[in-house]
Amino acid sequence: MIHIPILRTGLSYRSLNLSHVSHIQTGEPLAVVSQANRGLIAKDLYQAKENKQTLEDLSVSELLAICKKAANLFMESELPLDDTLQSPDDYIQQVSGTTGLPQSLCLKNMGKIRLVLDEMEAVLDGLTRGLDLSIMDSGWGAQNERPLSYVPQTDTLGAVLPSNSPGVHSLWLPAIPLKTPLVLKPGSEEPWTSFRIAQALIEAGCPPEAFGFYPTDYSGAAEILLQCGRSLLFGGGSTVAPWQANPNVQIHGPGRSKVIIADDKISRWEEYLDLTVSSIAENGGRSCINASGVWVTSHGREIAEALAQRLADITPKPLDDPDAEIAAFTNPKVAEGISGLIDNQLKVPGATDLTAKHRDGERVVEEAGCTFLSPSVIWCADPEHPLANTEFLFPFVSVVEVPQDEILDRIGPSLVVTAITEDETFIHNLLGSPEVERLNIGPISTNQISWDQPHEGNLFDFLYQQRALQVSRG
Amino acid sequence: MDNLNQSLSEKAAEARDRLDAHVREVVQWHFSPETGAPFWLEFAETLDFDPREKIGNYDDLKLLGHFQDEWLRGGPVRQWVPKGYADRPVYVFETGGSTGVPKTRISIRDFQIDYEMFSETLPDENFPRGSDWLMLGPSGPRRLRLAVEYLAQHRGGICFLVDLDPRWVNKLIQYGKHQELDLYKNHVIDQALNILRAHDNIRCLFTTPKLLEALSEKISLPKAGIKGIFCGGTEMDAQFHRFAREELVPGVEFMPTYGNTLMGLACCKPFDPADNYAIIYYPPQPRAVIELVNPDNPEETVDYGETGRVMLTTLTHEFFMPRFLERDEAERAQPIEQYPWDGVQNLRLLSELQESVVVGVY
């Protein structure tokens, strides 16, 4: 049986408390995962300063070179997995097997991680807005003849990670060239990716002290969030709610991302159908950057009908089918629960499931031993309907029609908004909206990421703060 | 080896005989109109037999069915005081309170007797007689607070105490108030540090697993003079046991225990590296018996090594509680020389409850 160890300053530790991760199709255990007790994490965090020093001892350019090397190792090499080796194919099968993400999508996500590691210099350039990165080595420098200095806000970056999609791990990767060691708590169903990234970076020459990897329970996760000076927290609404007010914790909760088609473009809505479908369904519809809302100023019902027809073509396939597009649920009861919740809310007048008539059978589908939810398009005639602004872990979208001048007051917090418009006034209003975190102006899919732009907060700004500096020689 | 097994078998048989005799004595006491508790005397009226005549051994307790959880939730608490002890001062202790109205148990001297027995298992070199104790665990209406103080006194020491309200801790967790929880933990630990720094004669500590971790993050307990730690109050697993011995308090005698208000105190099998830090508890038989039963059929005892639900029977003159199905599960462990009756290994909350109940948080 494969064992996934705890990493304490990069060194493997086998716990006496082991949990199993099983293949969702067969139910057979794929691996045992060592679980860290809370106190073990707390004890290790006392070495955070020493761990950080190992990264401080390297220059940013050396760390960027390590990232570049790790990109290929992650994508192409066999890497240590406790006392065995994990090939890229093993990795893909394991991630797919325990998360239900089709293998083809695992491969795509792998490519995203490779790209970020490979293009880390551009990523940092975007995060720092073109800062001369040697300032990170010397502590200070000059820009436009003004002294410039940054002070680290933490000795370590905690990350309480999700299981939904491997690509999300690219968000914390810049911490390494930003000289901040990591304390990672992997998702219970997906311990694979963060472990493999750590191994690739260590193999590429990164000091092992930069990695703490702690599969753990609720109290261990809380310890990470409380004790790391800065942390990223991924999770659903109830998971992230207690931490919302903590400025040291950057929340990555529900996305509720949206496509908006404004008055000036709405008559051409058919041209944007492909883009809308890919925004909803790409990567299995599992990401917070997938659209869960399409907000339009007219033609709502027509658009919803067209989306329903298109999305109904996406049907569950075996996880190893190269054409598989949607992910299976690791727990069939969760799929049934979500479907039941949607059906219950559809009893509230003002919303209709338009996909129901296009698909054969129910929303919950059993295929090749796995449980799926078929894509669902809800036409919300009532913008106040409970399904008008929600998201689920599968391709689910609500189409809502409201006058343009009401849209920004109604959409609520939205991680990504793709606004299809050239209306300068509307664009100005979008730019001024605090509800919109990432803004795509024009026909850009919600899940198209430009790696030189920050995503859900700027990691550099989170880890460093500009310090006032005056220097007088002599 | 055969001699050893034979000796253990003989001891186990003797222990069983003692248990059966004890059952007869306790049943006689609780169902006698002169000495019994009003609850049991009333209960006997609902039966078509006299328990004093029909119950001749431990297995016969089946005739009484299972003790019901709700019988201990709410009053009148005096229904549990045996008439034979009507003139004695009575304590009342509460269970955790993580599932609604807490259960209450009366006590007169039981907690003292339990801890006198436990004291006999503590090595004097690590828990020196005459040295003082720090009790860093749940206080208030819990028996632990008085029991640990009594233990210290029984061994000739004085017990220093810190207040800890575990129900408030539970609420903070339920409300997701992590920062407040951390502040409260620090408040408790700060008081413990003050006591440890101000009183040189403290050599022994009672605390819970989580508070031991938190305290050890602030101070080296071996350097502070602590020689023995009696740890309990919540569930603890092999990983914690190992972490405590290897990293938290190396060189300090670490005694895991399992106690609860309804049973008393179960001792841990003496540390043996061959057990790989598994924690194996033995109830204080004949005063209490733990049987591990099939959760779907509590009449069936599971085999050694198998997982079963904890069925607890408490058999003292102060409190009689036959065949109570606890919300814990464990693996059944073989008798050992020191405790020649069944033990329980890897005690933990029942799997089916693990997501709905907050436990082990302090």
Side-chain angles (χ1 to χ4, degrees):
Chain A
M1 175 81 69
I2 296 167
H3 168 239
I4 301 176
I6 293 164
L7 294 179
R8 307 178 72 182
T9 60
L11 302 174
S12 290
Y13 175 93
R14 186 182 180 102
S15 171
L16 294 176
N17 184 4
L18 301 168
S19 71
H20 288 82
V21 278
S22 301
H23 196 290
I24 67 162
Q25 217 164 355
T26 63
E28 291 296 313
L30 265 186
V32 290
V33 185
S34 274
Q35 300 295 305
N37 49 299
R38 189 207 68 84
L40 181 144
I41 300 169
K43 180 168 185 278
D44 289 358
L45 281 170
Y46 273 78
Q47 295 174 53
K49 262 195 197 321
E50 292 86 340
N51 294 340
K52 181 167 170 59
Q53 190 56 47
T54 64
L55 288 177
E56 295 286 356
D57 291 344
L58 297 168
S59 67
V60 174
S61 63
E62 285 171 314
L63 289 166
L64 287 171
I66 286 170
C67 288
K68 206 170 249 310
K69 194 173 168 192
N72 288 334
L73 290 167
F74 177 78
M75 197 73 195
E76 292 163 10
S77 293
E78 286 193 326
L79 290 169
L81 184 58
D82 199 28
D83 54 1
T84 180
L85 288 172
Q86 180 194 55
S87 71
D89 283 345
D90 294 338
Y91 162 76
I92 286 169
Q93 285 172 24
Q94 287 155 347
V95 174
S96 175
T98 60
T99 66
L101 196 67
Q103 292 180 12
S104 55
L105 298 184
C106 292
L107 180 62
K108 276 188 185 171
N109 278 276
M110 216 178 164
K112 279 186 202 169
I113 292 165
R114 188 202 64 79
L115 180 71
V116 171
L117 283 168
D118 195 46
E119 296 292 331
M120 187 60 81
E121 191 164 359
V123 172
L124 292 193
D125 204 40
L127 292 175
T128 63
R129 295 167 292 278
L131 183 72
D132 173 1
L133 294 173
S134 66
I135 286 176
M136 309 297 297
D137 298 329
S138 56
W140 71 287
Q143 199 170 41
N144 301 327
E145 298 178 7
R146 293 191 196 96
L148 192 60
S149 176
Y150 284 91
V151 60
Q153 298 299 292
T154 180
D155 291 328
T156 190
L157 175 67
V160 176
L161 299 164
S163 297
N164 60 329
S165 177
V168 79
H169 296 282
S170 49
L171 291 176
W172 50 261
L173 295 179
I176 292 297
L178 291 173
K179 304 190 172 192
T180 311
L182 290 153
V183 172
L184 306 169
K185 187 251 170 220
S188 55
E189 289 152 8
E190 214 278 80
W192 311 100
T193 304
S194 46
F195 191 88
R196 185 170 171 85
I197 292 171
Q199 294 303 322
L201 283 159
I202 292 169
E203 193 91 347
C206 187
E209 290 86 348
F211 296 98
F213 176 82
Y214 300 101
T216 184
D217 61 9
Y218 175 86
S219 70
E223 187 67 19
I224 290 172
L225 297 173
L226 284 168
Q227 305 308 333
C228 292
R230 291 286 185 273
S231 294
L232 311 178
L233 170 62
F234 295 80
S238 59
T239 303
V240 302
W243 302 92
Q244 292 279 9
N246 187 331
N248 296 337
V249 178
Q250 192 180 83
I251 302 292
H252 297 254
R256 299 202 174 96
S257 297
K258 293 174 180 74
V259 173
I260 296 174
I261 310 179
D263 276 334
D264 62 322
K265 300 288 183 185
I266 196 66
S267 61
R268 294 161 54 191
W269 63 266
E270 283 164 304
E271 292 173 33
Y272 309 117
L273 209 54
D274 284 349
L275 168 122
T276 309
V277 168
S278 73
S279 293
I280 297 163
E282 221 168 69
N283 202 35
R286 275 193 162 196
S287 305
C288 48
I289 53 177
N290 282 117
S292 55
V294 175
W295 289 63
V296 298
T297 54
S298 62
H299 302 278
R301 175 89 193 202
E302 278 173 88
I303 294 169
E305 292 279 6
L307 284 172
Q309 202 158 6
R310 288 284 301 277
L311 287 166
D313 290 342
I314 301 175
T315 53
K317 292 186 172 59
L319 300 181
D320 57 356
D321 187 320
D323 296 325
E325 291 180 87
I326 53 175
F329 279 77
T330 52
N331 182 350
K333 284 185 182 163
V334 172
E336 285 155 14
I338 290 173
S339 188
L341 178 70
I342 294 169
D343 288 337
N344 266 335
Q345 296 197 327
L346 284 169
K347 290 175 187 162
V348 178
T352 315
D353 181 352
L354 297 181
T355 23
K357 63 188 174 197
H358 294 289
R359 64 174 174 246
D360 299 327
E362 300 297 311
R363 190 182 294 114
V364 181
V365 180
E366 301 289 329
E367 170 70 36
C370 296
T371 304
F372 297 83
L373 285 178
S374 290
S376 295
V377 176
I378 309 295
W379 158 239
C380 288
D382 175 6
E384 297 292 328
H385 192 276
L387 288 174
N389 200 352
T390 189
E391 73 173 17
F392 297 106
L393 203 61
F394 77 108
F396 170 93
V397 71
S398 304
V399 180
V400 186
E401 182 180 308
V402 288
Q404 183 166 307
D405 58 1
E406 290 181 22
I407 286 181
L408 293 181
D409 291 333
R410 287 182 178 274
I411 57 171
S414 306
L415 174 59
V416 187
V417 165
T418 283
I420 300 173
T421 183
E422 290 181 27
D423 176 339
E424 290 301 329
T425 305
F426 190 47
I427 291 171
H428 182 77
N429 291 341
L430 281 159
L431 287 166
S433 172
E435 305 283 29
V436 180
E437 182 144 347
R438 286 182 53 184
L439 178 61
N440 298 332
I441 299 170
I444 301 165
S445 177
T446 56
N447 40 32
Q448 183 178 322
I449 288 175
S450 172
W451 293 109
D452 65 357
Q453 294 294 313
H455 171 80
E456 286 202 85
N458 182 321
L459 192 64
F460 175 67
D461 291 342
F462 192 48
L463 296 177
Y464 286 87
Q465 190 176 329
Q466 190 181 353
R467 150 201 283 144
L469 179 71
Q470 298 180 88
V471 180
S472 173
R473 302 283 189 202
Chain B
M1 190 66 187
D2 283 348
N3 285 342
L4 191 66
N5 286 341
Q6 192 183 349
S7 148
L8 183 55
S9 299
E10 284 168 7
K11 281 187 172 181
E14 285 166 16
R16 183 68 189 203
D17 289 345
R18 262 201 315 279
L19 171 63
D20 288 342
H22 187 73
V23 166
R24 288 192 293 275
E25 185 183 326
V26 166
V27 167
Q28 187 67 37
W29 170 268
H30 282 285
F31 288 95
S32 157
E34 289 76 37
T35 55
F39 177 88
W40 288 115
L41 296 176
E42 252 177 62
F43 185 84
E45 287 172 14
T46 67
L47 304 173
D48 58 3
F49 62 91
D50 183 342
R52 291 173 295 174
E53 290 169 11
K54 285 276 186 184
I55 296 174
N57 57 41
Y58 172 79
D59 288 341
D60 290 342
L61 289 172
K62 282 182 181 169
L63 294 170
L64 297 175
H66 294 282
F67 190 95
Q68 296 300 303
D69 182 274
E70 67 267 22
W71 292 345
L72 293 175
R73 296 188 193 273
V77 76
R78 286 212 172 263
Q79 70 182 329
W80 298 104
V81 180
K83 286 185 180 176
Y85 291 146
D87 57 344
R88 307 273 184 98
V90 175
Y91 296 92
V92 65
F93 298 123
E94 294 183 5
T95 57
S98 52
T99 49
V101 176
K103 292 191 279 288
T104 45
R105 174 192 169 172
I106 65 107
S107 184
I108 295 159
R109 240 187 66 74
D110 263 357
F111 72 95
Q112 296 169 339
I113 297 167
D114 288 338
Y115 277 70
E116 285 166 14
M117 287 167 60
F118 173 61
S119 177
E120 297 309 308
T121 71
L122 295 177
D124 286 352
E125 63 272 27
N126 300 105
F127 294 88
R129 291 186 186 269
S131 63
D132 294 338
W133 284 65
L134 171 62
M135 155 61 179
L136 180 61
S139 53
R142 274 149 226 97
R143 104 182 197 142
L144 254 178
R145 175 251 180 274
L146 280 178
V148 174
E149 186 167 40
Y150 179 77
L151 175 69
Q153 292 169 350
H154 180 70
R155 297 179 68 81
I158 292 170
C159 187
F160 292 85
L161 299 154
V162 173
D163 264 344
L164 173 70
D165 178 359
R167 291 178 193 159
W168 179 236
V169 173
N170 282 356
K171 283 199 168 156
L172 289 174
I173 289 180
Q174 282 165 352
Y175 299 156
K177 301 280 186 190
H178 303 283
Q179 285 98 326
E180 285 85 344
L181 178 62
D182 209 38
L183 283 172
Y184 186 58
K185 181 184 79 179
N186 290 338
H187 168 62
V188 169
I189 295 298
D190 285 348
Q191 293 175 71
L193 291 171
N194 284 339
I195 291 170
L196 283 173
R197 285 170 180 146
H199 300 281
D200 289 345
N201 193 39
I202 297 175
R203 298 281 173 271
C204 309
L205 171 67
F206 169 83
T207 193
T208 66
K210 286 190 167 62
L211 289 173
L212 177 61
E213 287 177 344
L215 187 61
S216 301
E217 284 157 21
K218 303 284 183 191
I219 192 171
S220 162
L221 289 171
K223 283 186 187 164
I226 297 296
K227 292 182 176 301
I229 295 171
F230 156 30
C231 192
T234 65
E235 68 182 54
M236 160 173 15
D237 63 14
Q239 171 59 24
F240 175 80
H241 186 194
R242 169 197 182 186
F243 179 63
R245 284 188 180 273
E246 288 183 350
E247 301 191 41
L248 280 186
V249 285
V252 173
E253 181 65 17
F254 180 78
M255 301 279 281
T257 53
Y258 169 62
N260 72 34
T261 307
L262 303 181
M263 174 188 69
L265 190 65
C267 294
C268 188
K269 182 183 174 192
F271 180 68
D272 177 353
D275 291 333
N276 200 23
Y277 299 95
I279 301 179
I280 307 169
Y281 295 118
Y282 289 88
Q285 203 168 299
R287 288 169 59 78
V289 181
I290 292 179
E291 229 181 303
L292 292 180
V293 297
N294 179 345
D296 300 322
N297 176 17
E299 306 311 311
E300 181 186 311
T301 306
V302 301
D303 288 336
Y304 287 109
E306 299 294 315
T307 302
R309 181 173 184 175
V310 170
M311 187 173 78
L312 171 65
T313 294
T314 302
L315 295 160
T316 74
H317 284 77
E318 293 175 17
F319 188 59
F320 175 56
M321 189 185 70
R323 308 174 76 244
F324 174 64
L325 290 165
E326 281 274 18
R327 53 182 190 154
D328 294 327
E329 65 183 16
E331 283 78 52
R332 184 179 172 197
Q334 295 273 6
I336 57 173
E337 288 284 327
Q338 195 170 349
Y339 305 106
W341 50 81
D342 282 1
V344 293
Q345 180 168 344
N346 298 329
L347 195 79
R348 58 201 179 267
L349 190 64
L350 267 178
S351 317
E352 64 200 61
L353 296 177
Q354 271 172 11
E355 287 183 5
S356 60
V357 178
V358 179
V359 290
V361 293
Y362 47 85

